């Protein structure tokens, strides 16, 4: 079985000073963990600083977004090739904040997924329903559509070149976490949905859970059969919380 993967999404937080402090406290303890993969996604402008800080470690670097074009007149944008140039391995695509605050729809997200693969990055495709959609009982349809846009553009094998993250929007930054059962239900559904196209890709694709993952709920979430790790926002900025979450990603020796 693949290692669990924990990705810290710093969002628009950090400073050169606080980044260095955080890294000085998490680097050594993370190196002592076994069989868990860890990545951090700082704001673009700090990628070079973080690339230097993690260079001797097993922590991988990711970015929070990319532009779908390779280069050109796109003021303010960052391409996949640039992210590779700075040592990025992962890039988030379709985070719910990008979808809701910056109007990114499923088709655009699919082209970003494609651009990430083209640049040699591993895209982390974020999917998930709003509270209103959950209340209406359309959670699975919403998630299907979000996945289908990538399947339509690229097919199942390329979808499997990425990582998926189920992030119920109502659980992001709210302190309200999906219960392990609620999360597992959607994760299982996502795996089945992929399996309808290709069972091998369904088996090997990592599906992370995101939405108020904390030190005290990570172990229970990661114990679910279809949860392969976490996408962690707020708690990834706190030394103690992030370390406990990463620790919870280690295989359980029973
Ligand atoms: P949160 O954010 O852990 O602060 O809820 C998760 C995310 O947005 O990826």
């Amino acid at each position: 079985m693949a290692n669990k993967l924990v990705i810290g999404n710093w969002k628009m937080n950090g400073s050169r000073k606080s980044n260095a402090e955080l890294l000085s406290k998490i680097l050594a303890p993370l190196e002592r963990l076994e069989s868990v993969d860890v990545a951090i996604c700082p704001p673009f402008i700090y990628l070079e600083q973080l690339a230097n800080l993690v260079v001797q470690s097993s922590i991988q670097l990711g970015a929070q977004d990319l532009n779908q074009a390779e280069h050109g007149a796109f003021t303010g944008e960052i391409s996949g090739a640039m992210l590779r140039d700075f040592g990025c391995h992962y890039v988030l695509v379709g985070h719910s904040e990008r979808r809701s605050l910056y109007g990114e729809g499923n088709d655009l997200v699919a082209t970003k997924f494609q651009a990430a693969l083209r640049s040699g990055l591993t895209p982390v495709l974020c999917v998930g329903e709003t509270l209103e959609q959950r209340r209406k009982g359309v959670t699975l349809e919403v998630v299907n559509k979000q996945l289908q846009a990538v399947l339509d553009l690229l097919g199942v094998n390329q979808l499997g070149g990425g990582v998926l993250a189920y992030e119920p929007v109502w659980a992001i930054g709210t302190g309200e976490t999906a219960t392990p059962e609620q999360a597992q239900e959607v994760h299982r559904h996502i795996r089945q949905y992929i399996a309808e196209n290709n069972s091998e890709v369904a088996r090997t694709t990592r599906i992370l859970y995101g939405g108020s993952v904390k030190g005290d709920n990570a172990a229970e979430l990661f114990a679910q059969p279809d949860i392969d790790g976490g996408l962690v926002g707020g708690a990834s900025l706190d030394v103690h919380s992030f370390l406990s979450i990463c620790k919870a990603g280690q295989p359980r020796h029973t």
Side-chain angles (χ1 to χ4, degrees), residues 9 11 95 97 167 171-174 210-214 231-235:
N9 172 13
K11 309 193 180 184
H95 187 280
E97 285 149 20
E167 297 205 300
I172 294 179
T174 58
S212 298
V213 178
K214 302 271 182 284
L231 180 54
V232 186

